Amino acid sequence: MTARTARRPAFAELFTPKLVTVLGEGYRAAHLRADAVAGLTVAIVALPLSMAIAIASGVSPDRGLYAAIVGGFLVSALGGSRFQIGGPAGAFIVLVAATVAQHGVDGLILATFLSGLILIAVGLMRLGTYIKYIPYPVTVGFTAGIAVIILTSQFKDLLGLTLTGPEPGPTVPKVEALVAALPSLNAVAASIAAGVIALVALLRRFRPHWPGFLIAVALAAVAAALLHLPVETIGTRFGGIPQSLPSPALPDLSPARIAALLPAALSFALLGGIESLLSAVVADSMTGRRHRSNCELVAQGVANLGSALFGGICVTGTIARTATNVRSGAHGPVAGMLHSLFLLAFILLAAPLASYIPLAALAGVLAVVAWNMAEKHEFAILLRASRGDALVLLVTFLLVVFRDLTEGILAGFALGTLLFLHRMAQSVEVETGLPLIAEDRADRDGTDGFDPALAGDASVAVYRISGAFFFGAAGTVGAALDRIGEHPRAHVIDLSAVPLADSSAAASIAGFAKRAQRQGAPVYISGARPAVRHLLFVHGARPPLVRYRPVLEDAVAEARAALAGDAPRPDDAGDG
């Protein structure tokens, strides 16, 4: 191994939980106090959100709490981020609701369990690094699409509507059913929802450090209980929430059931991996720390296994709660673990009080969440940035809203990839008539310009290819090489500004060299990097068909000397 070869990180470096790192640094009473305060603050935020997300997902509120308690504890204890808070997330509402509608709650638990196994496998295979390649317009588009779906799914409870049948899942039929049910509007429920939204907005404006969600929901619950308001509550719809965790149990792992739920599990794993790593990146940007992405994915996988065993829904890193944790002064992962224990204490001691919470209040909470999720400013910027980015954004957004979340992500990713390849292909240039001046030795970085008029000898054609030379640009480069009007007696191709090449590029150079050989014109290649030259050799561009020289001026000098008939016998093995 040379000194410049990158050392492959050891397993322990990649998968040691941040909890071990923090405790190894020395954990004192002051750190515990800071983590306890932050954990309590996050628990106050997570309590209404976990129940609201579960209800919007088509399951009972206790399943959201189980996910936050069990999954949240495991994410913090085993994760690769100091400040990550795990739990149910609004981004999963669409997928979870669709899975429950198609396969029932048991199917949801199995899909959550399988997604945990998938995330563990992805992390152990060290694939977490590649999730960052999801194009930014795709993440903004699907986040905005999810926000629209969450908002439309809450209108029934926001307005206290009574539907004549089950609420449709797809957006257009859902909106049609809601419009048809408008005559059943419950003014009291609508007033509670509006009051919650207004109070949360006011508290964020004037008292941003107060727990606005909890205050608004608690006041709504007190009003509903004392005034006997005619609105639906957690108690009337679900009978309250249990006062203990259920016993762990494995889901049905029969092959047929696994095959049926595997597509949903893959969707859960994909979205969970993206959300958790985005959340970890947000925490890093706020603190200057660095998370371990593959360790984080393994922890998310274990957390989903644990949540499924206790009957909870999907778990992922939650950006809002993680940011709250950081702003509350957390020192490390203990804060996230304590947040889960505080939620467990609520179930054990105060679960009966949840029965009085109006569903309209929780719908108001989710309406605020959806509004904040939409990333409206980023959406507007991408629409103006370029036509390509706008297309990727809109396709992702519209498919998520009107078709399917997975289809939206895949289509957006495919379009984004094609857009990237097109831009990369456009960046590759073929320059001819490179001047033969002393500065050519410094030209190998590809930064100097050139003046074709300075080319001194028309019998030797000089080309410089610059940029990533890959299949998207191979056709363009090949056409440029073939468009030479006259037939030079020798060709020199400078590859010093080509950082990488693929098989298509190598094949195009080899094909050009063979055509030049038939015309009796030798081909010299200068400045090729070792990896590029190896690929050219593999595809047949090797001596004596092609002669390699380290710098451009050497190749041109030798070509001219060869044409003059006084060149020394070339070393066809090439230099370097």
Side-chain angles (χ1 to χ4, degrees):
M1 178 182 296
T2 65
R4 296 179 61 185
T5 302
R7 181 177 63 86
R8 183 177 177 82
F11 184 89
E13 292 181 63
L14 295 175
F15 294 101
T16 299
K18 285 289 184 170
L19 176 63
V20 175
T21 303
V22 170
L23 295 180
E25 294 171 351
Y27 194 76
R28 298 184 294 275
H31 298 149
L32 178 60
R33 286 195 296 271
D35 283 337
V37 171
L40 179 60
T41 304
V42 175
I44 290 172
V45 174
L47 178 61
L49 274 179
S50 299
M51 292 189 289
I53 290 170
I55 293 172
S57 302
V59 297
S60 56
D62 55 311
R63 296 190 183 275
L65 291 173
Y66 299 157
I69 293 169
V70 179
F73 186 91
L74 293 172
V75 165
S76 296
L78 304 176
S81 170
R82 281 179 177 252
F83 305 102
Q84 183 84 280
I85 299 295
F92 278 96
I93 288 176
V94 180
L95 290 175
V96 173
T99 303
V100 172
Q102 186 174 357
H103 300 284
V105 175
D106 291 343
L108 168 65
I109 301 303
L110 176 57
T112 301
F113 187 87
L114 294 175
S115 71
L117 295 177
I118 294 170
L119 284 169
I120 292 173
V122 169
L124 292 177
M125 289 189 293
R126 307 185 182 190
L127 300 179
T129 307
Y130 298 101
I131 291 180
K132 68 184 178 184
Y133 296 126
I134 299 293
Y136 182 62
V138 175
T139 62
V140 174
F142 83 71
T143 303
I146 290 169
V148 170
I149 293 175
I150 291 174
L151 186 60
T152 56
S153 70
Q154 294 309 298
F155 275 113
K156 176 178 177 293
D157 289 329
L158 278 169
L159 304 177
L161 302 179
T162 302
L163 301 182
T164 56
E167 184 174 357
T171 301
V172 174
K174 183 193 297 288
V175 172
E176 292 174 347
L178 292 172
V179 171
L182 281 178
S184 65
L185 183 145
N186 184 330
V188 176
S191 298
I192 289 176
V196 166
I197 294 172
L199 182 55
V200 169
L202 288 172
L203 289 175
R204 287 191 173 184
R205 175 71 174 83
F206 297 105
R207 292 292 185 270
H209 297 294
W210 289 18
F213 285 152
L214 186 65
I215 292 173
V217 170
L219 290 177
V222 169
L226 295 181
L227 302 177
H228 303 288
L229 298 178
V231 293
E232 197 170 13
T233 65
I234 288 179
T236 59
R237 180 179 292 185
F238 302 104
I241 59 176
Q243 289 186 263
S244 63
L245 285 176
S247 299
L250 281 170
D252 178 11
L253 296 175
S254 64
R257 196 68 169 152
I258 290 175
L261 271 302
L262 191 57
L266 288 170
S267 298
F268 289 177
L270 174 62
L271 184 55
I274 295 172
E275 279 286 302
S276 63
L277 295 187
L278 283 176
S279 178
V281 168
V282 169
D284 289 351
S285 67
M286 296 177 68
T287 62
R289 301 283 186 174
R290 289 188 61 190
H291 72 281
R292 297 169 182 147
S293 58
N294 292 299
C295 179
E296 185 63 28
L297 290 180
V298 171
Q300 296 289 338
V302 174
N304 277 281
L305 292 180
S307 179
L309 290 175
F310 285 89
I313 60 176
C314 303
V315 176
T316 188
T318 56
I319 295 176
R321 276 160 273 176
T322 298
T324 300
N325 189 41
V326 173
R327 287 194 294 263
S328 300
H331 176 72
V334 174
M337 298 162 67
L338 290 175
H339 127 271
S340 296
L341 295 179
F342 285 128
L343 291 175
L344 177 60
F346 170 79
I347 282 185
L348 298 176
L349 303 176
L353 299 178
S355 299
Y356 298 104
I357 297 176
L359 296 181
L362 294 179
V365 168
L366 282 181
V368 175
V369 170
W371 177 259
N372 293 331
M373 279 181 63
E375 298 185 357
K376 300 167 288 296
H377 180 66
E378 291 80 1
F379 198 101
I381 288 176
L382 286 171
L383 285 178
R384 300 192 302 266
S386 70
R387 286 182 293 179
D389 287 336
L391 177 63
V392 174
L393 173 75
L394 291 175
V395 166
T396 304
F397 173 75
L398 294 174
L399 284 177
V400 167
V401 173
F402 296 106
R403 286 286 301 171
D404 178 76
L405 178 66
T406 305
E407 287 183 23
I409 293 176
L410 293 177
F413 181 76
L415 277 176
T417 302
L418 290 175
L419 178 63
F420 168 77
L421 292 176
H422 173 71
R423 288 170 174 170
M424 288 293 293
Q426 295 294 101
S427 69
V428 177
E429 295 182 355
V430 181
E431 303 168 296
T432 61
L434 194 65
L436 306 177
I437 54 179
E439 287 75 15
D440 277 343
R441 287 190 178 275
D443 254 352
R444 283 177 290 172
D445 63 359
T447 57
D448 292 341
F450 74 98
D451 180 4
L454 296 178
D457 188 352
S459 63
V460 179
V462 180
Y463 319 88
R464 176 197 281 168
I465 301 175
S466 58
F469 192 9
F470 69 111
F471 64 88
T476 303
V477 173
L481 294 177
D482 291 336
R483 275 200 305 265
I484 304 300
E486 301 176 358
H487 293 291
R489 296 169 59 198
H491 302 271
V492 177
I493 303 175
D494 180 29
L495 299 182
S496 59
V498 175
L500 58 91
D502 69 356
S503 293
S504 299
S508 70
I509 293 292
F512 173 78
K514 291 175 183 176
R515 291 190 295 274
Q517 184 185 52
R518 288 194 294 269
Q519 297 170 0
V523 174
Y524 295 82
I525 291 180
S526 67
R529 305 186 185 196
V532 174
R533 186 167 58 183
H534 171 74
L535 198 61
L536 289 167
F537 268 54
V538 169
H539 286 272
R542 63 176 68 209
L545 179 64
V546 174
R547 298 164 185 174
Y548 290 85
R549 294 297 176 261
V551 293
L552 177 61
E553 63 179 8
D554 291 349
V556 172
E558 185 171 316
R560 288 177 174 172
L563 295 180
D566 58 352
R569 181 174 180 82
D571 176 9
D572 285 339
D575 292 339

